[in-house]
Amino acid sequence: MVEKKLQAVEKVAVSDAEAGARAEVDAQIAELRAEIARLTEAVTAIGTSTKAVVRGEADLLAERVRERVREEPLSTLVAVAGVSFLFGLISRR
């Protein structure tokens, strides 16, 4: 009879320990989910900022090319012809 009571107490102790461990694991999972959400927001913000910077730089470069073509159309034409000729030579081989 004492053995049965001892076994019952051990089962209760084990189930209490399991419940405590589960609660701890659940809390860690919740913290990890919150951290993942914060990291996702940070990566999204970085991506958006980078996209804006790249777009601005591309617009600036395109405007500089347009200005150069307007100011010196002949030299631009010669440069494009030279680059095209080189690409043609490289692609033949």
Side-chain angles (χ1 to χ4, degrees):
M1 179 111 155
V2 173
E3 290 178 10
K4 287 183 180 181
K5 286 184 180 182
L6 184 59
Q7 288 175 350
V9 168
E10 288 176 354
K11 287 181 182 179
V12 169
V14 169
S15 66
D16 287 345
E18 287 177 355
R22 278 194 188 131
E24 185 178 332
V25 169
D26 289 341
Q28 289 176 351
I29 289 172
E31 288 176 18
L32 289 173
R33 286 183 177 155
E35 183 67 22
I36 289 171
R38 285 191 298 271
L39 289 173
T40 302
E41 290 174 10
V43 168
T44 302
I46 289 170
T48 303
S49 299
T50 303
K51 181 181 174 183
V53 168
V54 169
R55 180 171 283 163
E57 290 295 320
D59 290 343
L60 181 62
L61 182 62
E63 186 58 36
R64 285 182 183 169
V65 169
R66 283 187 198 109
E67 287 176 11
R68 178 72 180 235
V69 169
R70 286 183 189 129
E71 291 173 2
E72 301 176 23
L74 188 57
S75 64
T76 305
L77 181 62
V78 171
V80 169
V83 170
S84 299
F85 179 73
L86 290 176
F87 278 137
L89 286 178
I90 292 171
S91 68
R92 288 181 91 190
R93 293 182 183 195

